[in-house]
């Protein structure tokens, strides 16, 4: 068991699942083994019905598919399709949030007033939208319309690319990878990877980069910025995480998925006095709303809602036997949940028309009468409390406090209003550099281990860590999001954290909030008058698994930031593609990918890279 996770709560629930005869992701992985070698290498093509085809990686069998596609073409096409799926997921999430702002401004979504007018006006100005003598509703309407237009714009490039330094824009323009429209890039990926269209691996990967950029500097940034306008820009906030946040004597509701449109409103709905009274009538002492995965990060960042865990803990939360409802919307939700829930009393409630789950109850969420639907969902959970089977309940006691909520605005205010203290700390070497640690869990690797070992090693080396997604949740569970964690940091970083009363690992939000990290990177580069690729920065996804992570990694590299992957992507079937991504890209976009499964060695790569960049900037390594 202990080889599966380093997290005590997880290990306890793994044992309980075994005793309860419940099968989990780890069991299903074992049933898949040995996994398909062609798939692992990326040399399997199912893009047309002359296939499926596969290229023999050892050179004994066929070297091309029926249409003549080589390993280079097949691997590149598969990669580009993964990027398109990932970018589409983030961007469609962004569109959903922007549509909610539109409905709000039109007066059709009364439960979604603008919460951050300052940010609304700042964004309006960025888009050249007039703010003087206009009501916030008028501004919101034009902002929503303008942002929604970015998805199919004909103006040639996305507005948010203007945040990056001129040098970066020139690189993109020269390569022809400046994103032109959010939807357009995804569509073009699907077109180019159809049989008989783009068969040149370099050309395909450039389109993959352009599509990823339409996510990082398009869809994701839209999701973040408009969420802040609607739900409030995060500020430092305290809370706690891991499965121990579930309460034995309360109605437990877990919000799992990605869109704050649902989760934010549900947090408020659960506070209604009549629902609380209903819960008490059922014998519960209260209603305990917790988050999971990225929607958990959204409500954690804004309301300090406890976080029950990260990706690999979703089934385990149900295994506690203490969850009345697992409410899901979109992305990273295992189809197995209703099956696991069938062994307990948990109701899995799906809410998005885009994501239905056989075996789950579907309560369609509607932004036009959001509060009403949210209350209905909470009531369903409350009513389920009496079905709880006490003999099946076992909540692990493990929980940890954290501090989160580090939006760009919150970081600036912690720094006293300008980036200067951070820049000075980097120049003096107190902080050597910054690494963004993001991404998922993956049952092929020991749960949370790579995240934690990688991050610990970095802070020891005076590298400030900014984290999002399931990586950030992992950090939370091990106390790395507490200011006290600075005691494990190197002297320089420790002093900075102590002076500013911040943790050495800053939780910046959900996966779409990696756009916050990119915005900070661009702002630092602009302040120093250099390109992003000149900065002592790196990115890492130590335990990634999703296609969204493929898009993220690609836009981070395409923005000029060296990125380390802790799990091997399916590209090794083409020497040319692998070589382009890990070395050739340096001369093209100024950054490359590295793959390193050992987290300590990965941290060493990041530190060496940072030292190299410092030296080039004339700073002491
Ligand atoms: Ni969007 S994409 S498992 S929830 S970080 Fe978590 Fe984050 Fe990966 Fe999913």
């Amino acid at each position: 068991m202990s080889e599966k996770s380093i997290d005590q709560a997880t290990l306890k629930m793994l044992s309980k699942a075994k005793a309860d005869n419940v099968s989990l992701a780890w069991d299903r992985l074992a049933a898949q083994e040995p996994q398909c070698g062609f798939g692992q290498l990326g040399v399997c093509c199912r893009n047309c019905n002359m296939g499926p085809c596969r290229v023999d990686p050892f050179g004994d069998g066929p070297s091309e598919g029926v249409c003549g596609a080589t390993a280079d073409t097949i691997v590149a096409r598969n990669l580009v399709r993964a990027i398109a799926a990932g970018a589409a997921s983030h961007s469609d999430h962004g569109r959903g949030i922007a549509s909610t702002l539109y409905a709000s401004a039109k007066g059709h979504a009364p439960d979604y007033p603008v919460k951050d007018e300052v940010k609304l006006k700042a964004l309006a100005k960025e888009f050249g939208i007039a703010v003087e003598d206009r009501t916030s509703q008028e501004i919101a309407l034009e902002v929503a319309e303008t942002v929604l237009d970015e998805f199919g714009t004909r103006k040639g490039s996305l507005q948010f690319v203007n945040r990056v330094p001129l040098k970066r824009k020139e690189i993109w323009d020269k390569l022809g990878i400046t994103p032109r429209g959010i939807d357009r890039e995804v569509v073009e990926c699907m077109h180019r990877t159809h049989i008989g269209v783009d068969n040149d691996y370099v050309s395909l990967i450039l389109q993959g980069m352009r599509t990823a950029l339409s996510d990082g500097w398009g869809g994701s940034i839209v999701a973040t910025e408009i969420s802040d306008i609607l739900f409030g820009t995060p500020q430092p906030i305290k809370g706690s995480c891991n499965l121990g946040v579930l309460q034995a004597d309360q109605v437990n509701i877990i919000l799992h998925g990605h869109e704050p449109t649902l989760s934010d409103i549900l947090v408020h709905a659960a506070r209604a006095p009549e629902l609380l009274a209903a819960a008490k009538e059922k014998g519960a002492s209260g209603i305990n709303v917790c988050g999971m995965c990225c929607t958990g990060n959204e409500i954690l960042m804004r309301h300090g809602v406890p976080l029950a865990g990260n990706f690999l803990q979703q089934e385990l939360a149900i295994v506690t036997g203490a969850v009345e409802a697992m409410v899901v919307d979109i992305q990273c939700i295992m189809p197995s949940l209703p099956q696991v829930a069938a062994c307990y009393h948990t109701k899995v409630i799906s809410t998005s028309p885009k994501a239905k789950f056989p075996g789950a109850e579907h309560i369609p969420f509607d932004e036009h009468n959001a509060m009403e639907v949210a209350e209905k969902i909470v009531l369903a959970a409350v009513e389920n409390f009496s079905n709880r089977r006490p003999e099946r309940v076992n909540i692990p006691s493990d929980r940890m406090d954290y501090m989160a909520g580090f939006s760009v605005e919150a970081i600036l205010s912690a720094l006293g209003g300008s980036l200067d203290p951070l820049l000075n700390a980097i120049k003096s070497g107190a902080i050597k550099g910054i690494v963004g640690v993001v991404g998922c869990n993956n049952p092929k690797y020991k749960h949370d281990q790579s995240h934690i070992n990688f991050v610990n090693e970095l802070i020891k080396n005076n590298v400030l860590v900014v984290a999002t997604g399931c990586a950030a949740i992992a950090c939370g569970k091990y106390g790395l999001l507490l200011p006290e964690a600075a005691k494990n940091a190197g002297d320089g970083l420790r002093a900075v954290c102590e002076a500013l009363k911040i943790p050495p690992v800053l939780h910046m939000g959900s996966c779409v909030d990696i756009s916050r990290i990119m915005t900070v990177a661009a702002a630092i580069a602009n302040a120093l008058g250099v390109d992003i690729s000149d900065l002592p920065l790196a990115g890492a996804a130590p335990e990634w698994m999703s296609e969204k992570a493929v898009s993220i990694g690609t836009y981070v590299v395409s923005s000029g930031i060296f990125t380390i992957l802790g799990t091997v992507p399916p590209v090794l079937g083409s020497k040319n593609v692998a070589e382009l991504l890990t070395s050739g890209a340096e001369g093209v976009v100024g950054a490359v990918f590295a793959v390193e499964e050992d987290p300590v060695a990965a941290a060493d790569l990041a530190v060496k890279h940072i030292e190299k960049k410092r030296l080039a900037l004339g700073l002491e390594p």
Side-chain angles (χ1 to χ4, degrees):
M1 213 58 94
S2 62
E3 75 286 355
K4 292 183 178 155
S5 178
I6 59 165
D7 173 30
Q8 290 308 313
T10 295
L11 292 174
K12 287 173 197 166
M13 289 307 101
L14 281 167
S15 302
K16 181 171 190 292
K18 196 163 180 213
D20 292 352
N21 215 0
V22 175
S23 101
L24 303 168
W26 289 272
D27 306 304
R28 296 187 296 270
L29 171 63
Q32 286 291 332
E33 273 159 1
Q35 288 183 314
C36 169
F38 296 99
Q40 280 174 330
L41 296 172
V43 289
C44 160
C45 180
R46 292 181 299 108
N47 291 16
C48 87
N49 206 24
M50 294 189 290
C53 298
R54 54 199 199 178
V55 165
D56 184 343
F58 304 110
D60 305 331
S63 59
E64 48 199 32
V66 176
C67 70
T70 60
D72 291 346
T73 306
I74 294 172
V75 168
R77 278 201 305 223
N78 289 341
L79 178 67
V80 168
R81 283 203 168 191
I83 292 171
S89 303
H90 286 143
S91 299
D92 209 35
H93 164 176
R95 187 201 323 265
I97 305 286
S99 303
T100 304
L101 181 66
Y102 180 77
S104 159
K106 279 280 198 187
H108 299 153
D111 300 322
Y112 297 99
V114 165
K115 289 243 177 67
D116 190 339
E117 286 202 18
V118 176
K119 186 135 189 180
L120 172 68
K121 287 187 179 156
L123 197 68
K125 283 191 191 145
E126 191 173 345
F127 276 83
I129 294 166
V131 298
E132 305 303 325
D133 304 320
R134 298 181 87 185
T135 64
S136 91
Q137 197 163 359
E138 286 165 348
I139 302 170
L141 182 60
E142 196 174 341
V143 165
E145 284 172 340
T146 311
V147 163
L148 286 168
D149 280 348
E150 292 285 286
F151 287 82
T153 184
R154 288 166 298 157
K155 70 185 194 301
S157 78
L158 299 179
Q159 175 61 36
F160 285 114
V161 303
N162 295 314
R163 286 191 181 180
V164 308
L166 193 62
K167 285 183 190 168
R168 182 59 24 191
K169 275 176 70 178
E170 283 169 0
I171 291 171
W172 291 345
D173 283 342
K174 212 172 117 215
L175 287 169
I177 60 169
T178 303
R180 301 157 295 177
I182 300 171
D183 289 345
R184 178 175 180 179
E185 303 309 349
V186 174
V187 169
E188 192 166 313
C189 280
M190 299 314 287
H191 178 194
R192 287 210 206 185
T193 55
H194 185 275
I195 181 215
V197 187
D198 198 354
N199 297 302
D200 180 303
Y201 74 94
V202 175
S203 158
L204 279 162
I205 284 171
L206 286 171
Q207 174 58 18
M209 287 178 158
R210 178 157 58 182
T211 307
L213 290 172
S214 83
D215 169 357
W217 298 98
S220 279
I221 218 167
V222 165
T224 297
E225 303 283 321
I226 308 289
S227 292
D228 284 356
I229 289 171
L230 281 174
F231 307 113
T233 302
Q235 290 300 323
I237 194 161
K238 288 186 177 152
S240 51
C241 59
N242 213 345
L243 291 170
V245 301
L246 296 170
Q247 301 287 345
D249 59 347
Q250 297 195 26
V251 173
N252 290 306
I253 301 176
I254 293 189
L255 305 178
H256 174 25
H258 279 78
E259 286 176 335
T261 347
L262 164 72
S263 54
D264 205 277
I265 216 96
L266 223 138
V267 169
H268 293 102
R271 292 175 186 153
E274 52 289 5
L275 287 169
L276 209 60
K280 295 217 161 124
E281 217 167 276
K282 292 273 173 195
S285 73
I287 301 172
N288 180 36
V289 175
C290 304
M292 182 148 261
C293 285
C294 276
T295 215
N297 284 324
E298 299 274 0
I299 48 181
L300 148 76
M301 292 281 283
R302 297 194 176 90
H303 309 296
V305 169
L307 244 175
N310 51 8
F311 177 73
L312 276 178
Q313 291 179 286
Q314 54 185 291
E315 295 175 297
L316 302 173
I318 296 176
V319 171
T320 63
V323 175
E324 274 57 53
M326 168 88 74
V327 184
V328 304
D329 53 24
I330 48 160
Q331 298 171 19
C332 303
I333 302 148
M334 291 192 193
S336 64
L337 293 186
Q339 214 182 315
V340 176
C343 303
Y344 304 90
H345 76 301
T346 306
K347 267 192 182 177
V348 178
I349 302 175
S350 59
T351 58
S352 167
K354 295 174 196 166
K356 301 216 173 152
F357 295 76
E361 184 177 332
H362 189 68
I363 304 183
F365 189 69
D366 179 359
E367 63 196 12
H368 300 103
N369 56 350
M371 192 51 98
E372 203 185 309
V373 182
E375 286 175 354
K376 191 171 152 193
I377 293 171
V378 176
L379 189 63
V382 167
E383 280 172 351
N384 198 24
F385 186 74
S386 32
N387 296 325
R388 199 189 273 187
R389 290 148 70 186
E391 76 285 359
R392 288 231 138 186
V393 175
N394 180 0
I395 304 173
S397 57
D398 310 80
R399 60 188 281 167
M400 179 59 81
D401 291 335
Y402 60 69
M403 184 194 260
F406 288 95
S407 58
V408 179
E409 292 81 350
I411 291 175
L412 279 173
S413 94
L415 292 170
S418 94
L419 277 177
D420 291 345
L422 178 63
L423 299 181
N424 291 338
I426 293 174
K427 284 179 192 159
S428 77
I431 293 178
K432 272 197 183 192
I434 307 174
V435 174
V437 185
V438 308
C440 326
N441 295 134
N442 187 328
K444 291 186 198 168
Y445 299 78
K446 195 171 183 174
H447 171 233
D448 288 345
Q449 177 169 266
S450 299
H451 289 309
I452 300 309
N453 290 356
F454 180 66
V455 168
N456 270 324
E457 208 54 33
L458 290 176
I459 64 172
K460 245 193 269 168
N461 280 285
N462 294 310
V463 173
L464 177 69
V465 172
V466 289
T468 65
C470 291
I473 302 173
C475 291
K477 289 190 284 175
Y478 302 90
L480 288 163
L481 301 183
L482 289 167
E484 295 85 290
K487 67 177 190 297
N488 301 322
D491 291 344
L493 177 60
R494 183 173 65 225
V496 174
C497 291
E498 283 170 359
L500 298 172
K501 299 190 177 58
I502 56 168
V505 182
L506 303 180
H507 188 328
M508 292 187 74
S510 62
C511 293
V512 291
D513 292 338
I514 294 166
S515 64
R516 300 190 200 274
I517 301 179
M518 301 311 286
T519 296
V520 173
I524 295 176
N526 283 325
L528 296 176
V530 298
D531 179 35
I532 298 174
S533 68
D534 298 321
L535 299 174
L537 306 178
E543 301 180 26
W544 75 275
M545 60 84 199
S546 74
E547 288 170 314
K548 292 180 288 173
V550 182
S551 175
I552 292 165
T554 308
Y555 74 65
V556 173
V557 165
S558 306
S559 299
I561 301 175
F562 172 57
T563 297
I564 306 165
L565 304 176
T567 79
V568 187
V571 299
L572 299 184
S574 161
K575 218 171 143 256
N576 282 330
V577 171
E579 202 272 338
L580 175 62
L581 297 173
T582 55
S583 119
E586 182 72 50
V588 183
V589 290
V592 291
F593 282 100
V595 179
E596 179 51 70
E597 293 176 284
D598 172 2
V600 176
D604 192 48
L605 281 178
V607 171
K608 290 230 164 74
H609 171 79
I610 283 171
E611 287 171 348
K612 191 178 83 191
K613 292 291 174 185
R614 291 183 62 86
L615 208 58
L617 282 171
L619 303 172
E620 234 172 82

